[in-house]
Amino acid sequence: MMPNNTQATIVYVSYEGCCYEVRIRSDSDARILDILYGLQRALCIPQYEMMLCFGQQRIDCHQFCSLRSLGIPERSTLYLYRCL
């Protein structure tokens, strides 16, 4: 049996007054798209309607962006807004 090297990266996402814990299982750096995919499944919001922010800064959601590449520490709180 192969050892499981997969770790979970945890961030918190604030949306409409609630705070959600998001765990991304990955053997590399957690990508922003993985976070959005988890939120889409949990909240039933299409990804194209999501805007994710860290503090006052909007997070770029192209496929190569990760928490590490954006300088966002694990266990940070991100803010989700719905753009209709």
Side-chain angles (χ1 to χ4, degrees):
M1 181 178 255
M2 294 179 61
N4 186 358
N5 293 331
T6 319
Q7 297 180 346
T9 299
I10 299 170
V11 292
Y12 300 97
V13 177
S14 177
Y15 176 66
E16 292 190 342
C18 296
C19 193
Y20 301 92
E21 182 179 272
V22 179
R23 292 175 177 259
I24 303 300
R25 297 205 179 275
S26 177
D27 54 0
S28 61
D29 198 13
R31 295 179 315 144
I32 299 301
L33 286 180
D34 295 331
I35 295 169
L36 290 176
Y37 180 70
L39 292 170
Q40 176 183 341
R41 290 181 50 159
L43 302 175
C44 298
I45 300 172
Q47 281 188 23
Y48 64 85
E49 292 182 3
M50 293 182 184
M51 182 175 69
L52 202 56
C53 297
F54 179 58
Q56 298 295 319
Q57 182 179 7
R58 183 177 179 170
I59 297 173
D60 186 6
C61 297
H62 71 72
Q63 67 183 25
F64 300 111
C65 275
S66 66
L67 291 175
R68 185 176 301 146
S69 70
L70 295 172
I72 300 173
E74 186 176 351
R75 297 188 181 272
S76 292
T77 299
L78 308 178
Y79 298 89
L80 177 66
Y81 301 97
R82 190 167 186 179
C83 305
L84 300 175

